[in-house]
Amino acid sequence: YNLPSPLKVIHQRVEAEAKRLLLYSEMTAKEIAHLLGFEDQASFSRFFKKVSGESITQYKRQLKESGKIDNKNRKIAIFNPTRIADLCT
């Protein structure tokens, strides 16, 4: 049995969505935390560091240094994780 657990799949999906929002939106970490269903920004920050291995600040700094953030064209469709099925697709 080499498949990841359901919880790991959900964590990977939430991490990917958080990174997408940090890259393509101008939302703050607090706004992203709320959108993704975290109780507060601190919980989101702890989760992000645990799953990605770096803080939100480090991740954003890395994006800026690599030139991946384009502040002129940061438009994004917002994901709404109100259904668990959305997290698994």
Side-chain angles (χ1 to χ4, degrees), residues 15 19 46-56 59:
E15 176 190 9
K19 286 183 173 183
R46 281 191 303 274
F47 169 83
F48 190 89
K49 185 160 188 169
K50 181 180 177 184
V51 298
S52 73
E54 58 190 345
S55 70
I56 294 168
Y59 179 72

Side-chain angles (χ1 to χ4, degrees), residues 29-53:
K30 184 177 180 178
E31 291 168 328
I32 293 171
H34 176 73
L35 181 68
L36 295 179
F38 287 88
E39 240 178 76
D40 52 41
Q41 182 180 344
S43 299
F44 172 58
S45 294
R46 281 191 303 274
F47 169 83
F48 190 89
K49 185 160 188 169
K50 181 180 177 184
V51 298
S52 73

